[in-house]
Amino acid sequence: MEQQLSVNLTIPIPNDTVLIRKVELEELRSRELMGVYWSMKDLEKRTGKKSEWLKENILFRPLFRKELDSQNGGFVYYPKGKGQTWSFQASKMAVFLDRNFHLVFR
């Protein structure tokens, strides 16, 4: 027969710390990007890649463009001419990057 030891343990939690469930943390993270739009500079910072690389490997690849382009109901605004800038719906772009990592880096 197995022996068991019952222990009552107190672990101090600093006043500036809060314990939450992982599900709640993920919800908070996803809400953080809701209603936020990234510029190309923001996307460069997030990915650590330059705009030329992002365009070549993600934005202009036919595999992704159909899904991304706002003209097709996507979440990326592709500039149509001089003076216009890229715009990315941050929450959806973040999910796209995570979901397609394996395809981007083939």
Side-chain angles (χ1 to χ4, degrees):
M1 175 156 213
E2 246 180 67
Q3 292 184 12
Q4 291 186 346
L5 176 63
S6 180
V7 177
N8 190 2
L9 179 65
T10 302
I11 300 174
I13 299 173
N15 289 336
D16 63 346
T17 303
V18 176
L19 295 177
I20 62 171
R21 293 187 333 233
K22 284 183 182 180
V23 172
E24 291 177 87
L25 177 61
E26 289 306 314
E27 283 179 23
L28 289 171
R29 284 183 177 154
S30 70
R31 280 193 221 143
E32 174 186 338
L33 297 177
M34 296 299 286
V36 174
Y37 296 95
W38 289 338
S39 66
M40 181 59 80
K41 287 280 181 219
D42 295 324
L43 188 60
E44 286 178 331
K45 284 180 198 166
R46 285 286 182 154
T47 61
K49 302 289 184 187
K50 293 289 182 196
S51 64
E52 294 77 24
W53 188 94
L54 292 165
K55 290 173 188 175
E56 183 179 325
N57 293 283
I58 298 173
L59 300 170
F60 288 130
R61 272 181 68 186
L63 173 68
F64 300 134
R65 181 158 184 172
K66 198 173 203 176
E67 178 183 352
L68 296 173
D69 198 330
S70 60
Q71 296 245 320
N72 300 326
F75 42 89
V76 175
Y77 174 76
Y78 285 71
K80 307 285 184 271
K82 291 251 185 226
Q84 293 187 338
T85 59
W86 290 87
S87 189
F88 305 88
Q89 194 175 357
S91 59
K92 292 184 179 180
M93 190 64 188
V95 169
F96 172 86
L97 291 169
D98 284 344
R99 190 182 66 224
N100 291 288
F101 182 86
H102 67 291
L103 295 173
V104 171
F105 290 97
R106 291 191 132 175

